[in-house]
Amino acid sequence: MKQDMIVILDLGSTENTTVARQIRSLGVYSEIHPHDITPEELKKLQNVKGIILNGGENRVVDGKAVDVDPALYDCGCPMIAIDHPGARCERRLESLPDEAQMREFVFDTCHAQANWNMKNFIEDQVELVRRQVGDRKVLLALSGGVDSSVVAALLIRAVGQQLVCVHVNHGLMRKNESESVVEVFRNQLHANLVYVDASERFLGKLQGVADPEQKRKIIGGEFIRVFEEEARKLEGIDFLGQGTIYPDIIESGTKTAKMVKSHHNVGGLPEDLKFELVEPLKQLFKDEVRACGVELGLPESMVYRQPFPGPGLGVRCLGAITRERLEAVRESDAILREEFQRAGLDKKVWQYFTVVPDFKSVGVKDNARCLGYMVVIRAINTVDAMTATVERVDWDVLQRITERILAEVAQVNRVCFDMSPKPPATIEFE
Ligand code: XMP
C-alpha cells in the first residue's frame, strides 16, 4: 500500500463514516475497524499513522462500557479519543473535531501524507488483485450498473483476459443499455465478455404474474440460474469478482451497532460452485467508486448513471407484464432521459423514470372514442432513498416530454406527473 492511513476504531459511535469521510476529504486514507481489533491485527494494516477512538451513544453494550485492548494504548501510534470518557490517551474531544482540529491531528501529530487519490488507489488494487489471482481466472456478473462496471474496468486493467464478464440481458433493461455494455466492454476495453440474451426466458417466466414481490422473486431467482448455467460452461474459474462497496460492509453491522441490513452479494449460487471473492472496491464510498471509474476511462454516462433497480423495467410495467406495455415503458423512459439531459436535469435529479399502469383510459382519435395507456413520470430527489421529495420540473420541459411521448410511443394517450413525496408514496410504484 502506498497510502498512509488513519484508523478509526468504532467504540459505539454512529458517526464513523462521517469521520472517515472527513479524513479522506483531507486526502488521507482512513478505515473503520471494530473496537476489539487485536494488536496483531492492527500491525498487519500497513502505514497506520494514527488512531481515532470513536466513542458515542452506543459505547455501552450489555451494561458494560466498551474499550479497546489495553495493549493498543502502547502501540506507539498517536491517538485521539472522541466522546470516549474511559480512554487512556491524552487527547480527548467531547464531540466530532472540526476541520482545523482534524488537520492538526492528521498532519501535525500523525505526520500523515495527503497521498490518497484514485491513481494511487488503482495502482495499489491492481497490484493486490494480481497477487491474489496469479494466473487464474475471475468471473464477474456485469450488470452495467456503476459498481459492477467499475470493478470490471479495474479487473481488466489488473488481469486482462483472465477476467470473464457475463452480462445477462433479462429483457427488462432500459433502451440501449445492454448494447452500451457490449460496446464499452467488448469493443472499447476488449474484455472477455459473454453476452447472454435471456429476454424470452424471463418474459416467459413472468407471464401472467401480477404480484410485485412474486415478480421480484422470479427475476432474482432466474438471474442466478442463468448466471450459474454460464458459470458451469466455463472452465477453471477460481474467483468471483464483486462490486461490494464500503457502505455494504458498514451496513452489515459492527459490534457496537445493530445490523442495518444483511450484506449479501450475488449470493444464492449453489454450494458446489465455490469461488474466492475479489472485491477491489470494498473500501470505497459511492462517490469514490465513480471517481475511480472516471480515472479508469469509463464513460460519464455509465459512471454517473442514476440508480436502477435490479428487477429493472419489470417493476415499472405495473401488474402482469405485457410486451406492449413494456415497450411503452422503455420508449417513454428513453424520451424522458433524453429530454432531462437536454434540460440539464440529468445531473441534478436523483432518480427519474416512467411507469405504465395496467389499465387503459379513454381518449379520442380521429373523432372516435378509443382506449390507450397512461404514462406516469416520476422525478425525485433524496439523500438515502428512505425519504424523497418531488423535483419541481419546469412546465415547458414537462410539456415537451408529454408531446413527444404522445407522438412517439404507440398506444399511449395520457401522460401524468407524480406529485407524491416519500412517504407516503414509495419511489417505485411496486
Ligand atoms: P422505494 O420504491 O422502496 O425505492 O421507495 C427506494 C430505492 O430502491 C430502489 N428499488 C430497488 N432496487 N431492487 C433494487 O435493486 C428492487 O427490487 C428495488 N425496489 C426499489 C428504487 O429504485 C429506489 O432507488
Side-chain angles (χ1 to χ4, degrees):
M1 285 284 276
K2 291 189 172 52
Q3 284 115 7
D4 287 351
M5 183 189 337
I6 302 291
V7 168
I8 298 162
L9 296 182
D10 174 18
L11 284 141
S13 173
T14 50
E15 308 206 77
N16 294 307
T17 345
T18 313
V19 178
R21 301 213 51 138
Q22 194 186 3
I23 298 168
R24 288 190 190 188
S25 74
L26 301 176
V28 177
Y29 184 55
S30 69
E31 278 183 11
I32 304 162
H33 287 273
H35 71 277
D36 56 358
I37 187 170
T38 64
E40 292 72 38
E41 286 166 334
L42 184 72
K43 219 175 267 170
K44 279 196 202 131
L45 302 174
Q46 288 175 26
N47 299 353
V48 177
K49 297 288 176 187
I51 297 174
I52 293 178
L53 307 179
N54 202 19
E57 57 187 66
N58 298 325
R59 76 175 96 83
V60 176
V61 174
D62 297 333
K64 270 189 283 177
V66 294
D67 197 12
V68 295
D69 184 327
L72 284 193
Y73 287 110
D74 307 317
C75 74
C77 270
M79 250 184 214
I80 190 172
I82 305 170
D83 196 7
H84 185 52
R88 280 176 31 208
C89 57
E90 275 170 29
R91 303 202 40 192
R92 273 186 247 152
L93 296 173
E94 274 174 24
S95 57
L96 292 189
D98 59 24
E99 197 193 318
Q101 288 171 315
M102 190 60 101
R103 275 186 180 280
E104 192 201 327
F105 176 67
V106 170
F107 297 119
D108 302 342
T109 313
C110 302
H111 303 292
Q113 294 209 18
N115 54 8
W116 161 246
N117 60 54
M118 278 308 138
K119 241 192 182 80
N120 286 346
F121 171 81
I122 292 167
E123 264 180 48
D124 275 349
Q125 290 305 320
V126 163
E127 199 183 309
L128 287 172
V129 169
R130 284 186 184 152
R131 230 184 278 160
Q132 183 186 5
V133 171
D135 58 2
R136 292 179 288 168
K137 286 188 190 163
V138 189
L139 178 65
L140 176 75
L142 175 58
S143 65
V146 180
D147 303 341
S148 73
S149 298
V150 177
V151 173
L154 185 59
L155 293 181
I156 290 167
R157 182 161 302 181
V159 297
Q161 296 295 303
Q162 288 160 250
L163 172 73
V164 186
C165 301
V166 175
H167 175 72
V168 178
N169 178 357
H170 51 25
L172 306 164
M173 308 287 282
R174 290 173 296 186
K175 194 173 180 179
N176 292 332
E177 207 164 19
S178 281
E179 289 82 350
S180 94
V181 169
V182 173
E183 168 58 26
V184 169
F185 287 96
R186 185 180 283 162
N187 301 347
Q188 294 176 19
L189 298 176
H190 309 293
N192 196 346
L193 172 68
V194 180
Y195 170 71
V196 190
D197 183 355
S199 316
E200 289 303 318
R201 179 169 166 171
F202 277 82
L203 291 182
K205 292 267 174 197
L206 286 163
Q207 198 162 12
V209 182
D211 176 58
E213 289 316 304
Q214 195 60 26
K215 282 160 72 175
R216 279 193 171 78
K217 242 189 219 148
I218 290 173
I219 298 166
E222 206 55 21
F223 185 88
I224 290 167
R225 268 187 292 278
V226 175
F227 186 69
E228 182 201 333
E229 284 169 25
E230 293 304 319
R232 286 193 194 281
K233 285 186 207 160
L234 301 162
E235 299 210 329
I237 305 250
D238 293 308
F239 298 92
L240 187 67
Q242 290 210 323
T244 314
I245 69 172
Y246 212 25
D248 298 332
I249 290 181
I250 296 167
E251 283 174 9
S252 294
T254 59
K255 289 171 187 150
T256 50
K258 294 226 167 57
M259 190 163 82
V260 181
K261 69 172 183 197
S262 62
H263 166 219
H264 39 182
N265 306 308
V266 170
L269 285 176
E271 276 289 297
D272 66 317
L273 275 179
K274 275 215 178 85
F275 299 112
E276 195 182 314
L277 296 182
V278 182
E279 301 175 293
L281 308 181
K282 66 173 187 286
Q283 298 295 349
L284 297 189
F285 292 105
K286 193 78 181 188
D287 55 320
E288 295 169 336
V289 173
R290 295 190 209 275
C292 182
V294 170
E295 183 68 36
L296 286 162
L298 288 179
E300 286 215 345
S301 56
M302 198 165 248
V303 167
Y304 286 98
R305 63 174 235 160
Q306 53 168 321
F308 186 59
L313 301 181
V315 289
R316 295 177 181 169
C317 181
L318 306 187
I321 297 169
T322 64
R323 281 167 206 268
E324 205 174 60
R325 281 192 303 114
L326 185 57
E327 249 349 84
V329 180
R330 186 174 284 131
E331 290 301 321
S332 57
D333 173 76
I335 293 171
L336 176 72
R337 286 193 287 140
E338 218 174 284
E339 292 300 331
F340 262 40
Q341 191 179 10
R342 188 172 299 173
L345 290 172
D346 56 327
K347 292 225 170 82
K348 178 175 176 242
V349 182
W350 200 82
Q351 202 173 14
Y352 48 99
F353 53 87
T354 61
V355 166
V356 176
D358 55 347
F359 59 81
K360 287 182 170 175
S361 75
V362 178
V364 56
K365 200 175 180 184
D366 303 329
N367 284 328
R369 177 190 142 99
C370 66
L371 296 172
Y373 292 118
M374 177 167 101
V375 168
V376 183
I377 298 172
R378 187 122 173 89
I380 59 94
N381 290 307
T382 178
V383 175
D384 55 8
M386 303 296 284
T387 62
T389 55
V390 176
E391 168 74 15
R392 279 171 165 259
V393 184
D394 180 78
W395 191 263
D396 291 338
V397 175
L398 281 178
Q399 211 151 25
R400 193 158 53 241
I401 296 167
T402 303
E403 279 162 15
R404 279 197 61 191
I405 291 175
L406 292 176
E408 297 171 35
V409 186
Q411 309 255 23
V412 173
N413 64 0
R414 199 178 290 272
V415 177
C416 299
F417 184 76
D418 184 353
M419 294 289 292
S420 333
K422 173 181 182 176
T426 50
I427 296 173
E428 303 287 348
F429 273 48
E430 59 173 35

